[in-house]
Amino acid sequence: MARKNANDNPLAPVTVAVGQEDLLLDRAVQEVVAAARAADADTDVRDLTPDQLAPGTLAELTSPSLFAERKVVVVRNAQDLSADTVKDVKGYLGAPVEEITLVLLHAGGAKGKGLLDAARKVGAREVACPKMTKPADRLSFVRGEFRGLGRSATPEACQALVDSIGSDLRELASAAAQLVADVEGTIDEAVVGRYYTGRAEASSFTVADRAVEGRAAEALEALRWSLATGVAPVMITSALAQGVRAIGKLSSARGGRPADLARELGMPPWKIDRVRQQMRGWTPEGVAVALRACAEADAGVKGGGDDPAYALEKAVVTVARAARLRRG
């Protein structure tokens, strides 16, 4: 979910949406447009790319209207504006026009930072739309989607949806909306399984789960699907390492209820139960071997090797074998 600053009025004279997550950027625009049209159904919306915003164009778009109509002017990829157009925008920021809302979408990097700084200096409303590269971020996004739709979903269901759908936020949002539309009551893991098990796109966590369970063939199949559908190799090594570390942490922890262990280890209780099932057959030696394999694979996919796919396959097989050391 996009994060906002203290100025949370979508009809503020200037809004800057900062980041590279396309869904969140689009939602930031939609929120402003919806608020403007709620205030005036005839609001004129202009959605522009840098090549459509030549020097002088902004002045034309924001010139006073005889009919005092409300406008929303959206500028996408503001970091790519020409130097002359940036001057126009900076000049406008100092004296925004009443009944006009300017929305700047900015990637947030060093390019075009002067324009972003200028918008912040005048107190523009800011919406953070960061790229969600971490699994935990996508899990939080799914939880937020269900909350926003007014429905309850179990932690296991949210995790299962992320595992099944992968990293595309638009697909995650669409899947959550579909489940809410089709299913009565609380959405649980079984419901998600009925709808989405068998998808071609396997996530990095599917690979990791099968590997730490010692199911080498299934882990390799999931790995190949993941790579074929665009899952970044570094996400897979990260998931593998997380899975092995979770087993190591739980195996060395004191016994107790899932809730107590969750507090001690920083894991949700449902994950404690899952890791307990996965850790059967693991030994301390196996954990050490698997962690070394994950580290080697991580180096391999980050430029230390010639073939990231081979590095991942080797790590998956090593982890799966380590899971079965005790069972011989």
Side-chain angles (χ1 to χ4, degrees):
M1 186 176 294
R3 299 189 298 274
K4 304 164 189 174
N5 64 4
N7 178 9
D8 197 20
N9 178 11
L11 291 181
V14 181
T15 288
V16 288
V18 185
Q20 300 179 42
E21 191 62 71
D22 289 341
L23 175 65
L24 301 184
L25 291 167
D26 286 345
R27 285 184 173 181
V29 172
Q30 292 163 9
E31 182 182 28
V32 172
V33 171
R37 287 186 168 154
D40 180 353
D42 295 325
T43 294
D44 180 22
V45 178
R46 303 295 181 92
D47 198 325
L48 307 168
T49 54
D51 60 304
Q52 296 172 310
L53 199 65
T57 303
L58 183 63
E60 294 176 13
L61 292 172
T62 58
S63 59
S65 168
L66 292 175
F67 305 102
E69 65 179 348
R70 181 178 289 278
K71 287 184 182 178
V72 174
V73 179
V74 180
V75 180
R76 296 183 182 271
N77 299 313
Q79 72 278 357
D80 294 331
L81 291 172
S82 68
D84 288 337
T85 304
V86 167
K87 290 180 182 178
D88 289 350
V89 177
K90 287 183 177 179
Y92 177 81
L93 292 175
V97 178
E98 191 175 356
E99 300 297 315
I100 293 179
T101 300
L102 176 65
V103 183
L104 301 173
L105 307 188
H106 194 291
K111 187 177 182 181
K113 187 173 183 295
L115 177 57
L116 184 56
D117 290 342
R120 287 168 169 163
K121 188 174 181 179
V122 300
R125 171 179 179 259
E126 184 169 341
V127 182
C129 306
K131 199 75 176 174
M132 294 192 179
T133 58
K134 296 180 180 178
D137 291 338
R138 294 194 290 275
L139 186 57
S140 295
F141 172 80
V142 168
R143 290 171 178 159
E145 288 297 291
F146 283 121
R147 282 196 302 270
L149 294 167
R151 292 293 294 280
S152 296
T154 66
E156 295 87 348
C158 294
Q159 183 66 63
L161 195 61
V162 172
D163 288 347
S164 298
I165 300 297
S167 59
D168 191 306
L169 289 200
R170 292 188 190 279
E171 289 199 30
L172 286 169
S174 176
Q178 186 68 50
L179 288 168
V180 167
D182 290 356
V183 178
E184 297 289 337
T186 299
I187 295 164
D188 59 20
E189 188 175 15
V191 168
V192 174
R194 286 202 305 272
Y195 273 72
Y196 295 106
T197 294
R199 282 179 53 97
E201 182 179 63
S203 78
S204 55
F205 284 99
T206 303
V207 178
D209 283 342
R210 298 298 85 80
V212 300
E213 290 162 4
R215 295 152 67 178
E218 293 176 42
L220 287 171
E221 181 181 3
L223 171 64
R224 287 158 190 158
W225 274 120
S226 294
L227 295 175
T229 54
V231 177
V234 69
M235 299 296 293
I236 299 172
T237 56
S238 174
L240 278 171
Q242 287 183 48
V244 175
R245 282 197 297 267
I247 286 169
K249 288 166 68 175
L250 188 56
S251 63
S252 61
R254 299 186 302 274
R257 298 178 304 164
D260 296 331
L261 288 170
R263 285 192 295 272
E264 180 183 343
L265 302 178
M267 299 180 190
W270 64 266
K271 189 170 183 180
I272 296 291
D273 291 333
R274 176 177 291 181
V275 175
R276 272 179 167 166
Q277 294 174 357
Q278 293 174 332
M279 64 188 285
R280 296 167 185 161
W282 280 90
T283 64
E285 294 78 12
V287 171
V289 167
L291 286 175
R292 282 196 297 272
C294 292
E296 290 172 2
D298 190 57
V301 303
K302 291 179 179 177
D306 296 328
D307 188 346
Y310 173 74
L312 286 169
E313 288 189 4
K314 182 180 178 182
V316 164
V317 170
T318 301
V319 170
R321 286 176 177 169
R324 302 180 64 85
L325 285 180
R326 182 172 292 169
R327 288 173 284 190

